[in-house]
Amino acid sequence: MRKNWKYAAAGGLAGVANGLFGGGGGSVLVPLFTGCCGLDQRRAFATSVAVILPLCALSVGIYFFRGGLDFMAALPYLIGGAAGGWAGGRWFKGVKMPWLKRIFGLLLIYGGVRSFL
């Protein structure tokens, strides 16, 4: 039962990030999955994707009903994101874990720097 609270808290933090920023829940989940929930890094990456899908769908619904969503502007990103997601999923098993960690870390640093500029 105690682990369920950790998992629910991790999901809650990811949901807050997605709701506030329109994304970023996965970057919250991966460290929580590894640090608090005891998942290995590769499983944490994959599990975060499975958790983020419904959170993103919920956020899209809320943004849509509040009038803050432009589907036509999002369409090219959706197409590119689907292609990138497919490619990343295919490559995921073949990339060594130290490189996955480095790439993930660089993405977090890039996002942090961009948020300040």
Side-chain angles (χ1 to χ4, degrees), residues 5 25 28 32-33 43 46 48 57 61-62 70 72 95-96 105 110 113:
W5 282 104
V28 171
L32 289 172
F33 281 160
R43 188 167 296 239
S48 73
I62 291 169
D70 183 348
M72 293 313 291
V95 178
K96 294 185 188 310
Y110 172 78
V113 168

Side-chain angles (χ1 to χ4, degrees), residues 13-56:
L13 289 171
V16 167
N18 257 29
L20 281 175
F21 307 122
S27 60
V28 171
L29 279 178
V30 171
L32 289 172
F33 281 160
T34 57
C36 297
C37 302
L39 292 178
D40 66 85
Q41 195 83 30
R42 193 172 295 273
R43 188 167 296 239
F45 283 126
T47 304
S48 73
V49 172
V51 172
I52 290 304
L53 176 63
L55 295 178
C56 287

Side-chain angles (χ1 to χ4, degrees), residues 56-72:
C56 287
L58 179 63
S59 294
V60 164
I62 291 169
Y63 290 141
F64 176 77
F65 287 114
R66 291 193 173 184
L69 182 63
D70 183 348
F71 277 114
M72 293 313 291

